[in-house]
Amino acid sequence: MCGIVGYIGDKRAIDFLLDGLTKLEYRGYDSAGVAVNCGDNIFVEKAVGRLSSLKEKLKNNLPVGTVGIGHTRWATHGRPSDLNAHPHSDCHKNFFVVHNGIIENYLQLKEDLIAKGHKFISETDTEVVAHLVEESYHGDFVLAVRDVLSKIEGSYSLLFMSKFHPDTLIAAKQDNPLVVGIGKGENFIASDIPAIISFTRQTYILNDGDIAVVQKNSVNFINRQGLPIEKKIFHVKWNAAAAEKGGYEHFMLKEINEQPKAVRDTISPHLNGKVTFNELNWNEDFLNNINKIYIVACGTAYHAGLVGKFYIEKLVRKLVEVDLASEFRYRNPIVDDKTLVIVISQSGETLDTLAALKEAKKLGAKTLAVTNVVGSSIAREAEFVINTAAGPEIAVASTKAYTTQLILMFMLALYMAQISKSIPAAEIERLIKLLKKIPAQISETLSDVEPIKTFAQMYGFNDDVFYIGRSLDYCVALEGALKLKEISYIHAEAYASGELKHGTLALIVEGVPVIALATQKSVYEKTLSNIKEVKARDAIVIGIAAAGDSELEKYLDHVIFVPDTDELLIPLLAVVPLQLLAYYAAITRGCDVDKPRNLAKSVTVE
Ligand code: AGP
């Protein structure tokens, strides 16, 4: 996720650009840049790091031009650097573009452009767009942009500026948000409403396929075929703070609801008929040389690793051990050059995980980082890196990072199974078909939160809550318990259902809430008997079940159903009600949901 801004009017563009980027930093903050049309030249300034680095560079050198574009980046292709920061331009610096999203066919387009003599200076997918405009331009700016849009594939919101057309900015939207703010003798473009709300509340919200041709006294919309589109003005009623959260009360709820798109964006670059990881380029020899795999992480990422273990052991039949990063390096782990150590980290900066990674490398292991931050310390330290496309996760409680980690681990296991032929091709094909449905099924799981809100209000003041499950349900139970603990401060514990009778059952007394996950068909009967154990002690049991399960509700107080799918994939759905339960319990208890006490978003200390 990145932040885009544009200004066209009679005032200094830079003032809106910097103000707007400040309001959009939550969308990305690893580098930033601006381009301002100053008549005889285009002023460009970029800086790696937070927006403050760019402001520092501009301090005594603010451009006076009245047309400009700006960008704050969340890297997907090309690590954070001045060169990779947007805006990007063509060879002759006549066209400038800022972009939010992923151009999936950029490699092929880049090869074709290089063959035609174009010179690239960045590693980004976005720079390809600027050179494409140069190729397509024959005097008509709008026509050139339309031609470019017909060539690129993927998800994007784009804003174009040209030296030849200082009176015009062109915006295009596909899958990623873009709004136009309507001023008097000036107009504003931004990824999101927070950037413009202090300048105007009159906006146009772009839909997929829309192209906006913006001048200081006019905004005209056309479709990809160049035909005019009529759009209604949307009057923004939100206050600025609410706008940053997209109208949600908290970042956590916004990020829970961003999961369908985050999972879809994580899947799409690695799926074209089969699963691909160009970043890995592994082969049979590489996998044959691996005789043990560790997955090492902390917190929620560790819980994703526990699920990843199931995926790799079931689909690839290789031994996997999952370890807490803070434990791994202090127990003299058995690691050599035939070991693959996979570290998972949303922030890519968790010191425990970084230290474990360095220890693994010192012992000769091959290392793979699964991170959500391109160019992070862990990403730079690992030999191989694959990225989730969750976008910035602001809430301390990790949600969309977790589900994108799960889907990436699932695709990694499928990728390894494709190479090693450890399962039949037909089974891989079946699982890929189910994988594609997950984003929509997460949306379905999010569609009715009322029952969960009610449970949170009914049981949110209990001192103890238990989560139980077997197999993958136990992995998800651990994540659900952590969510509840860290934002509602309720003492929540997760137990393998079969483990209850070995001690914990002593704590199950009348009225204790137990969240029982029962989505794993392979262990369903055993799980059901464990649920009966706790019901026999008069616990209040809320079940999480797959749609179509008519058995569970005979024994439980409440059941929350999630769409049915293969039991390997159902954790991506079962976790959603647990995230929401934690969220609404925290609300019920008046807790600070996004910034819970004692915790930090990224733990960069041991
Ligand atoms: C998750 O909700 C917590 N905020 C925490 O456990 C987190 O998952 C852990 O600190 C690991 O962070 P990382 O993924 O950035 O390495």
Side-chain angles (χ1 to χ4, degrees), residues 141-152:
F141 190 18
V142 174
L143 204 56
V145 169
R146 284 179 49 214
D147 186 45
V148 169
L149 297 177
S150 68
K151 291 174 181 163
I152 60 177

Side-chain angles (χ1 to χ4, degrees), residues 32 356 387 563:
N387 292 303

Side-chain angles (χ1 to χ4, degrees), residues 1 23-24 26-27 177 179 191-195 197 205 234 236-255 257-258 394 594:
M1 199 158 55
K23 306 282 181 31
L24 295 181
Y26 69 90
R27 298 182 60 82
V179 297
S191 298
D192 209 349
I193 285 168
I197 199 168
I205 310 290
F234 171 69
V236 180
K237 296 186 177 65
W238 296 329
N239 64 39
E244 247 190 33
K245 300 172 190 117
Y248 291 100
E249 193 180 349
H250 299 97
F251 276 113
M252 183 180 177
L253 189 58
K254 176 170 179 272
E255 288 154 10
N257 282 280
E258 283 176 339
I394 309 297
D594 285 336

